[in-house]
Amino acid sequence: MIIKTTKFITSAASKSGFITTDKPVIAVCGKSNVGKSSFINMLANNKKLARTSVTPGRTRLVNYFDFGEFVLADLPGYGFAKVSKDEKIRWAKLLDDFFKDSGKIAHVFSLMDLRHEPTGDDKDMVTFLNHYIIPFTVIATKADKLAKTRIKPQVRNLAASINIGEDNVIATSAQNNFGKEKVLEKLDKIIEVFYNENAKNE
């Protein structure tokens, strides 16, 4: 896949703002400060598409982006302690409403920090996606922070800790584009499956 042009579409603060599209919707989720915005910008070849912040928990909406062949939905980061209880509940409801409408979701990229064990929230997300039978791939971010010889063992450990296959984890780095080609190859397969399934249902 070659991503040529990307643009911001809209933000949704609640279920009523979720968009409807004929294109496959690919969601990006992960804990606060895991590198969602940097990952999105890496795919887009545009460092300014998704705003990054040194302050975790900045993304409080579902932000939609048009990537040409698909629509990317950037979800609010979870697990950030320095927000109010009411705010956490609101985020949880927003995520819950989004995933319950799973028929409109082609795939989820679940971001986790390759350097660390998955958090309880990370594991809960995997459980949630499995429960709703939503296909997903784990994107293991910040691979540049590890020695190259440590990347594969860390991928193996991460996969084992959440009971998925190693081939369902892609190590990436937004700093040097490590793993980007693998993600683009995965996107090609996701889009192919989406349109094949739609053709069968017509």
Side-chain angles (χ1 to χ4, degrees), residues 43-102:
L43 289 184
N45 297 312
N46 181 352
K47 292 182 178 180
K48 296 181 179 179
L49 181 68
R51 288 184 294 178
T52 58
S53 173
V54 295
T55 305
R58 178 170 176 171
T59 304
R60 302 186 180 190
L61 308 167
V62 175
N63 293 311
Y64 291 96
F65 301 90
D66 188 345
F67 269 66
E69 293 187 58
F70 64 95
V71 169
L72 187 146
D74 179 19
L75 305 182
Y78 53 76
F80 184 49
K82 296 181 181 179
V83 293
S84 69
K85 183 178 179 180
D86 286 346
E87 186 76 356
K88 287 182 181 180
I89 291 171
R90 193 182 71 77
W91 290 0
K93 177 169 173 36
L94 186 64
L95 289 171
D96 195 47
D97 286 342
F98 183 86
F99 285 120
K100 278 183 177 176
D101 200 9
S102 58

Side-chain angles (χ1 to χ4, degrees), residues 104-164:
K104 296 180 180 178
I105 306 169
H107 205 86
V108 173
F109 285 147
S110 182
L111 272 59
M112 300 182 193
D113 191 324
L114 182 60
R115 300 170 297 174
H116 308 300
E117 283 287 313
T119 66
D121 287 325
D122 290 330
K123 293 178 180 179
D124 286 345
M125 179 58 71
V126 170
T127 299
F128 189 90
L129 295 172
N130 282 326
H131 175 75
Y132 283 102
I133 318 176
I134 302 173
F136 69 93
T137 300
V138 171
I139 302 297
T141 62
K142 306 188 181 184
D144 59 290
K145 305 295 184 182
L146 295 174
K148 288 185 178 180
T149 55
R150 291 296 307 151
I151 293 175
K152 191 169 183 177
Q154 281 297 99
V155 165
R156 186 180 304 117
N157 292 340
L158 191 158
S161 68
I162 52 175
N163 298 311
I164 64 173

Side-chain angles (χ1 to χ4, degrees), residues 8-25:
F8 172 74
I9 301 173
T10 190
S11 295
S14 65
K15 185 177 181 179
S16 62
F18 296 162
I19 70 170
T20 299
T21 175
D22 293 331
K23 296 180 180 181
V25 174

